[in-house]
Amino acid sequence: MSRDPLILGHVVGDVLDPFARSVSLGVTYKNRLVINGSEFKPSAVVDKPLVQVGGDDLRIFYTLVMVDPDAPNPSDPTLREYLHWLVTDIPATTNASFGREIVCYECPRPASGIHRVVLVLLRQIGRETVFTPEMRHNFSTRRFAMEHYLVPVAATYYNCQREAGTGGRRFIRDDRC
Amino acid sequence: MWSLEQPDNGHKNKSGTNRNSNSGNNRVLSSSSSSRSSPSSNTSILIPQTPRRRTMEEVWKDITLSTFHQERPITPLDHHIYHHHHHANSSPSFKGMILQDFLTGPLNRPLPVSQTVVEQLPLPPHPSPALPETALSLNSGLEFQYLGPDATNSHSNSSSSGHNASFISSAFSSVAVGPPSPTGLFSLCSKKRLQENPAIGVDRHHKRMIKNRESAARSRARKQAYTNELELEISNLKEENAKLKKQYEELRLAIGNSLPKRNPLRRSTTAPF
């Protein structure tokens, strides 16, 4: 339905293809749950969040991907997507600390514009089937999922802008963070 | 008089866009020029001149320029006409004019001589729908800058005024801006802009307008997505709440029913042995 926030926020489209939500995903930064489209300051997302994964079978493993599709600037996303975090082999019903962090958490620090930060949960076909990507920038969740036979089962996103930002585009050339 | 208008109208309609606003402009302008009685210099514009082939753009431009004599024309065309008028002319007649005079309206402007209008051949072809919007943004950008010193961060479009102002200031950063008075800044801006290549100016504004639109669309999408998410959350929570209340009631009733009666075999006293 077009009222789905993931579609309205163009997460489905820019990052993912339409998929069916089948597993619950709860992302919590410092006791604040991520709601689609809510705003987080860089100071609030400095440390990695608690990511609670749903499902019911401990033998099924999930991969968590955290990307910024609006890098470096939403009106000029040449580095789409920027990979901030990649955790694999997370058993169902547990959280991300039970998985293997193959790309360590890098806190989002947008220089300009309001960036979406998307967290995607993908189901693996087996264990240790996911390999580390080479670079963080110009990552493609779609391509990554295809290469590793991953299926998206849940996604959420929040907005993040500079600490002192007032939103929107600026034509100031320097990048003060 | 109407018979003279016919070929021009036909030219304009063929030129081509499907925009109603553009055809609206055509109609307004043709009516204004038709209201004119024909002074000799002006009829020379309307009657096609045989020694030289006149393109549609020239006819269009001539008619719009001639309307400056009569009534207040549509504002978007002002900048376009002045840009192209200057572009062809090495020494435009209004170079000494400051922007404030320009903005006070067409009737106060130094009127360009009609003969020079006929002779020149400027108009680089570009899609006419671009004209009203880019020129309009140019106008509004300058107005925002005028308001800048007085109204910073006080209203929602401060971001647009901010970037308009900084765009203009970055474009003219080489020009030494002495006193921070609006008047001084305006005269410098107008002089610099008139010397700039008008095609680039229009393109830059066009691009920025497109970017601004995309940014606005993203902003709307963001807001809509968040609102929808909250509404979904609300309905989920309401559902959960209703379910939990029902469960509670059922449990209460169940416990109430199965509450055991006081055990009739309970001892009241203990025997000493």
Side-chain angles (χ1 to χ4, degrees):
Chain A
M1 203 167 32
S2 69
R3 289 177 58 86
D4 181 3
L6 289 180
I7 297 176
L8 285 174
H10 297 293
V11 169
V12 168
D14 291 343
V15 179
L16 293 169
D17 295 322
F19 68 97
R21 241 181 240 91
S22 54
V23 176
S24 70
L25 174 68
V27 180
T28 311
Y29 279 102
K30 289 179 193 164
N31 286 331
R32 187 181 153 197
L33 183 68
V34 168
I35 298 177
N36 285 330
S38 53
E39 174 116 5
F40 282 78
K41 287 202 163 162
S43 54
V45 297
V46 161
D47 298 317
K48 64 177 83 162
L50 171 68
V51 179
Q52 185 64 39
V53 171
D56 43 15
D57 191 347
L58 272 171
R59 291 167 298 177
I60 298 183
F61 295 92
Y62 294 96
T63 296
L64 178 77
V65 175
M66 178 165 148
V67 289
D68 176 356
D70 296 327
N73 194 321
S75 43
D76 185 31
T78 51
L79 299 181
R80 171 175 290 177
E81 310 144 19
Y82 188 87
L83 181 65
H84 282 278
W85 199 25
L86 185 54
V87 186
T88 186
D89 295 339
I90 307 171
T93 74
T94 67
N95 62 59
S97 58
F98 287 71
R100 278 190 312 131
E101 190 181 22
I102 57 179
V103 175
C104 60
Y105 183 81
E106 184 182 303
C107 119
R109 281 197 306 143
S112 61
I114 301 180
H115 294 220
R116 296 164 293 172
V117 180
V118 184
L119 291 111
V120 186
L121 191 70
L122 306 124
R123 186 175 57 231
Q124 300 170 205
I125 50 171
R127 261 198 104 215
E128 289 180 18
T129 54
V130 177
F131 305 106
T132 315
E134 287 178 358
M135 296 176 304
R136 284 184 188 256
H137 53 265
N138 292 123
F139 183 76
S140 164
T141 308
R142 277 190 185 98
R143 200 189 58 219
F144 184 75
M146 230 168 41
E147 288 169 356
H148 296 88
Y149 308 102
L150 299 168
V151 175
V153 294
T156 183
Y157 80 103
Y158 60 89
N159 293 315
C160 187
Q161 62 176 298
R162 282 184 353 184
E163 196 70 35
T166 52
R169 293 185 306 129
R170 287 280 184 275
F171 276 82
I172 303 168
R173 294 290 169 208
D174 55 331
D175 292 5
R176 265 171 274 154
C177 220
Chain B
M1 207 52 170
W2 278 108
S3 60
L4 281 172
E5 270 10 283
Q6 288 308 318
D8 304 335
N9 255 332
H11 280 297
K12 277 178 285 209
N13 287 336
K14 276 184 214 142
S15 75
T17 61
N18 304 328
R19 297 263 307 232
N20 294 333
S21 61
N22 203 23
S23 55
N25 287 347
N26 290 341
R27 270 182 250 115
V28 170
L29 288 168
S30 57
S31 65
S32 69
S33 49
S34 71
S35 64
R36 221 180 328 122
S37 61
S38 48
S40 57
S41 59
N42 286 333
T43 45
S44 66
I45 297 169
L46 282 182
I47 296 171
Q49 305 205 338
T50 39
R52 190 167 62 83
R53 283 161 66 84
R54 289 169 59 80
T55 66
M56 185 280 308
E57 283 91 2
E58 290 168 16
V59 173
W60 168 249
K61 203 179 60 58
D62 291 341
I63 287 176
T64 54
L65 270 170
S66 57
T67 60
F68 285 159
H69 299 277
Q70 305 304 319
E71 62 183 59
R72 191 176 195 287
I74 320 273
T75 30
L77 298 164
D78 298 348
H79 296 280
H80 163 62
I81 296 306
Y82 274 97
H83 277 147
H84 290 279
H85 183 73
H86 172 70
H87 173 63
N89 249 350
S90 53
S91 60
S93 54
F94 50 89
K95 188 172 185 176
M97 186 175 66
I98 66 168
L99 194 65
Q100 279 174 321
D101 294 347
F102 185 75
L103 287 176
T104 53
L107 300 177
N108 296 341
R109 287 193 197 109
L111 302 174
V113 185
S114 53
Q115 276 77 15
T116 57
V117 166
V118 171
E119 255 113 42
Q120 46 189 322
L121 186 53
L123 213 47
H126 63 246
S128 28
L131 301 178
E133 299 146 48
T134 56
L136 196 57
S137 69
L138 170 65
N139 203 0
S140 59
L142 291 168
E143 284 169 4
F144 279 147
Q145 185 175 21
Y146 183 68
L147 293 170
D150 307 327
T152 48
N153 302 330
S154 60
H155 46 79
S156 59
N157 52 354
S158 63
S159 63
S160 62
S161 66
H163 78 243
N164 270 336
S166 56
F167 165 74
I168 292 168
S169 55
S170 67
F172 305 132
S173 57
S174 59
V175 178
V177 179
S181 68
T183 346
L185 200 54
F186 270 142
S187 56
L188 285 168
C189 280
S190 66
K191 280 180 185 157
K192 181 77 174 182
R193 179 153 301 128
L194 292 175
Q195 290 154 19
E196 215 178 31
N197 190 347
I200 290 177
V202 164
D203 276 342
R204 190 185 300 159
H205 283 288
H206 197 52
K207 263 190 223 155
R208 185 135 68 82
M209 192 194 57
I210 290 175
K211 278 199 164 186
N212 202 351
R213 284 201 176 150
E214 289 169 4
S215 180
R218 273 201 307 276
S219 177
R220 284 194 299 270
R222 194 165 42 229
K223 179 164 145 184
Q224 187 66 30
Y226 188 52
T227 310
N228 273 18
E229 173 73 16
L230 290 180
E231 287 174 0
L232 283 174
E233 277 293 306
I234 287 179
S235 63
N236 283 346
L237 289 172
K238 279 192 176 163
E239 239 182 79
E240 204 186 323
N241 201 13
K243 220 177 3 175
L244 286 172
K245 275 191 179 163
K246 213 167 76 139
Q247 240 181 5
Y248 172 74
E249 282 303 316
E250 285 172 3
L251 279 174
R252 213 160 67 103
L253 288 173
I255 291 187
N257 284 343
S258 65
L259 200 65
K261 295 189 202 121
R262 284 180 149 252
N263 194 342
L265 296 177
R266 186 181 288 180
R267 280 201 280 194
S268 49
T269 57
T270 312
F273 50 85

